[in-house]
Amino acid sequence: MSAVLHPHDHLDGDHHGDHHGAPHGWRRWVFATNHKDIGTLYLLFAFAMLMMGGVLALLIRAELFQPGLQFVNPELFNQLTTMHGLIMVFGAIMPAFVGFANWMIPLQIGASDMAFARMNNFSFWLMIPAAAMLASSFFMPGGAPAAGWTLYAPLTLQMGPSMDSGIFALHILGASSIMGSINIIVTILNMRAPDMSLMKMPMFVWTWLITAYLLIAVMPVLAGAITMTLTDRHFGTTFFNPAGGGDPVMYQHIFWFFGHPEVYIMILPAFGIISQIVPAFARKRLFGYASMVYATASIAILSFIVWAHHMYATGMPVTGQLFFMYATMLISVPTGVKVFNWVATMWKGSMSFETPMLFSIGFIFVFTMGGFTGLILSMAPIDTQLQDTYYVVAHFHYVLVAGSLFAMFAGFYYWSPKWTGFMYNETRGKIHFWWTLVSFNVTFFPMHFLGLAGMPRRYADYPMQFADFNMLASVGAAFFGFAQVYFFFFVILPVMLGKGEHAPQRPWDHAEGLEWEVPSPAPFHTFETPPKLDATATKIIA
């Protein structure tokens, strides 16, 4: 037997490929149990939700294009801001990362599939009725929920019937997330190739393992908060209703105990993607692998003790403000470790700047800016001034759009040759990157100044002194939206339809990991028998 096995020897078992091949037609997708098909479904669903949330965002920016413009009425404006947030967080960002997890984790750890294939199918298909319920709420009596994506009481207690459908939709999405997380944890802990110890796993697998534990810990907290809202609305309880001795601020405590780990649920997988891509294009091993693992775990643990930094303006005692202020500053340390390690990986590397690397460097640059504005908001006296202004809007879009979304784009460009078997068009990828980066900053950078000048968020109108920056932001948002339409039609569709160059097994010279040990596109069934790995757990040997 040769020293290095051809990947097919580990893939197709006894070469009984005919009845093991992919099923055809609609049944392949509806009854999908293959992790690659389910990953594809998640990614397509998330992109559709991204477009829907983007349309709502453009309607918001159209209303804010100039003062006095009543493009939509104020009630609808509040519905748009609420639904934009809910759809983007629960419909676009989270499902997209679950799609990446489904596609890549079994490939990266040498597993044949996810641990619970039918539950995997169920957790995806739960999202469709939930998304339909969210989207249809615009057509219900009184319109969509208009309490902000945080769903604060007492507003939620005064909403129409769409509030109930929104609560039900979030319950279903939460159940889907919990099932997906259980699946990911069991797959990673039980189905790794025998030679892959925990500290040899790729960073993307590590970040998802930690993220999955976070999801299981906090999704039930959100479920509790919105169930209490539901019983307040219909069953005579007064958890959040002061008229019956309840406290609306208690809702904020419960929500943000979910909400802050949720922020890290949406960024840790992004860290994992960037940690895969930067070493590949710097042509060096990742600097400080162990410290990256410990930093990720530290972020996850600390995320449970910082929730009330969202609540400095609620009349918190000074002692409480100090605790949450210092805890929030502390959480910036492991995040800084990650940024340092990525920069150190690039330092003196033999770098090339293909699209995945451009998006990764763009991520590091713009995410770091978002991190710094977060550090500024962590300080209670400053945050008291900036609370609920456009400064906060700018901060979290720098973290979530330039953070999560840029990392997803990077991951798509990096792994799509392995998914589809075709190379994307490099020139179009670079056009997409520069168009996205510039329009993003034109949209959100002026919002820092609007917030510092005192413009509150979620307002449908504003005085004249805020006009110029708002107009600039609205124009930037339109360009940013069109950049993603360009991405779909000129980058995604060609590779999905099989146009372009055939991808080699290793499209990137220095990329390490088991996913590059299988052909492109990855066969329908991979690793039917666990592969034997070399000492680094990145290559298959005899």
Side-chain angles (χ1 to χ4, degrees), residues 64 99 223:
L64 295 171

PDB file of all heavy atoms in Angstrom, residues 64 99 223:
ATOM      1  N   LEU A  64     -35.390  57.969   5.996  1.00  0.00           N
ATOM      2  CA  LEU A  64     -34.463  58.881   6.672  1.00  0.00           C
ATOM      3  C   LEU A  64     -33.603  59.674   5.688  1.00  0.00           C
ATOM      4  O   LEU A  64     -32.657  60.356   6.096  1.00  0.00           O
ATOM      5  CB  LEU A  64     -33.554  58.079   7.620  1.00  0.00           C
ATOM      6  CG  LEU A  64     -34.270  57.402   8.796  1.00  0.00           C
ATOM      7  CD1 LEU A  64     -33.317  56.466   9.539  1.00  0.00           C
ATOM      8  CD2 LEU A  64     -34.838  58.442   9.755  1.00  0.00           C
ATOM      9  N   GLY A  99     -25.308  26.783   8.454  1.00  0.00           N
ATOM     10  CA  GLY A  99     -25.030  26.211   7.131  1.00  0.00           C
ATOM     11  C   GLY A  99     -23.552  25.920   6.952  1.00  0.00           C
ATOM     12  O   GLY A  99     -23.169  24.831   6.483  1.00  0.00           O
ATOM     13  N   ALA A 223     -36.527  32.048  25.354  1.00  0.00           N
ATOM     14  CA  ALA A 223     -37.846  31.399  25.351  1.00  0.00           C
ATOM     15  C   ALA A 223     -38.623  31.761  26.608  1.00  0.00           C
ATOM     16  O   ALA A 223     -39.829  32.048  26.552  1.00  0.00           O
ATOM     17  CB  ALA A 223     -37.683  29.881  25.236  1.00  0.00           C
TER      18      ALA A 223
END
